[in-house]
Amino acid sequence: MIDVVIAGAGPNGLLLACELALAGVHPVVLEREVTSEREPRANGIVGQVVRLLDRRGLHERLTGDSAPPVPLPAFTFGAFPLDLTMLADNPHYALGVPQARLEATLAARAAELGVDLRRGHEVVDLRQRADAVEVHLADGTQLSCRFLVGADGGRSAVRRLAAIDFPGTTVDRSISRTATVTVPAPFLDPVTGGLRGPGDGVVPPFQHTRTPHGMIVWAPFPGRPAILSTTEWPDAPTRDETPMSLAELRASVARVLGVDIPLGAPDGPGLLRRLTGGNTRIAERYRAGRVLLVGDAAHVHPAIGGPGLNLGLSDAANLGWKLAATVRGWAPPGLLDTYESERRPVAERVVMSTRAQSALIGPGDDVTGLRELFAELLRKPEVTGHVAALMSGADVRYPADPADPLAGRCAPDVVVHGDHGPTRLAELTRTARPLLLGSTGGHADVAAPWRDRVDVVTGALTGTSATALLIRPDCFVAWSAGDADTLRAALTRYFGLPH
């Protein structure tokens, strides 16, 4: 019997497969598509998950640079520029890689770890038993597994087959058009690389720019085709089933920006996409017996601000070690259920953020007045800091000991100064094993009965006020320097009874 079957070989399914394999569980990943070639989707990753990729050794693979990630100096919220240089502790990171390259990198890592990836296999039915899930495929074959995870997107077949409701709202007020384009040099600002607007106006690159007639985004990615996108709110939006053209996008740019810009197609395959309206939904539950949901299968929301991969990949990291612990038999009671209790509130905050931004970019004089107030508020570092933490996921705190100020929060970028010199946390977390860091001899003795599943690394810590940290595999703090009893309680709560 297969331990875990994952339906979907997108970024979330592939990262989950890697997390399981690192924990000693080798899943089978089923992907409906025969090849990995898809329409271009996400253009990068934003948020705290960039630090997670660094802590798995994937940031260097994606960038070709061994240096740790650096926070962004600026970002955007609801078509407002966010000046992140005013923050003493900037939590917002980004990694400008297209989704196709992310998927290829994760697929290569999964193959290194022995993951069985099977393309051209579509899940069409499932049957749950007390101890297994029978997975039926379109070609008539059947697999038996202990757990099935749906990582198969917003139209998840696994979610539907498991009879998990997907409540939420669908709106048809807006029409968004996106394409990869070329733009003649006279229409580009030579200093900023932005698009020339009416008069001396410039649409800055990589910002959402609201006008009285809609919103426009200009993204001139280095080394690959630029992407141009518009959003409009017509009085009577209709769903157009005809393929979108560059002429259609050009007409939309002229309406939104007030300038007619000649648009050309890049060499090779490009993106031409029209979306009418959108969905905001969260699954009624993330688990039904032995079936679980991750990523877009569990939640969908507006794409503004780019939170999708930050949310989905973090789901995968949270679920991976808990599911592996359950399969391997050392999970404490209820550990697997904490996947939903920890991750659902995060999805709800992302929905709140994207809805708020969608409202702020909308048309109308009332929205303009609201934006004037927001512009004043965002000049305050404490407001910008709050928004940056919300968008990046740095404000996430899982339920933990309220007396422990670090427990439940993402682990800081500590450095351990041991016998072999300084070592970054990112160098210690690539195995995805729990870690007890900076421990004294007493702390190490307390953790000794858990040494089969918890690694102990001794040395002084810098980058944190704590003298010792117990870190979960998903790089969240389980405990920070307390007495032996609180350490023993945290070890039992997260990693089960001692061996």
Side-chain angles (χ1 to χ4, degrees), residues 1 116 120 127 151 224 234-235 266 325 349 387 400 417 430-431 450 477 480:
M1 180 187 295
D116 184 357
R127 296 286 186 273
R224 54 191 174 106
D235 293 334
R349 284 187 64 76
V387 170
H417 300 267
R430 297 187 178 188
T431 59
W450 285 268
V477 176
S480 67

Side-chain angles (χ1 to χ4, degrees), residues 217-291:
V217 181
W218 167 242
F221 293 101
R224 54 191 174 106
I227 293 179
L228 184 59
S229 178
T230 63
T231 302
E232 296 179 85
W233 290 266
D235 293 334
T238 58
R239 291 191 175 272
D240 188 347
E241 301 301 330
T242 62
M244 200 189 83
S245 65
L246 279 180
E248 179 181 335
L249 177 60
R250 178 175 178 174
S252 178
V253 170
R255 290 191 297 269
V256 171
L257 193 57
V259 173
D260 182 26
I261 298 178
L263 302 179
D267 295 334
L271 169 65
L272 280 171
R273 183 173 59 208
R274 179 199 308 112
L275 296 176
T276 301
N279 289 304
T280 298
R281 300 180 180 277
I282 299 179
E284 177 188 34
R285 48 192 169 143
Y286 284 19
R287 179 185 180 189
R290 293 181 173 271
V291 177

Side-chain angles (χ1 to χ4, degrees), residues 31-37 118-121:
E31 171 54 48
R32 180 181 62 183
E33 302 297 331
V34 176
T35 71
S36 60
E37 296 178 1
R118 305 178 187 178
R119 295 194 178 276
H121 291 265

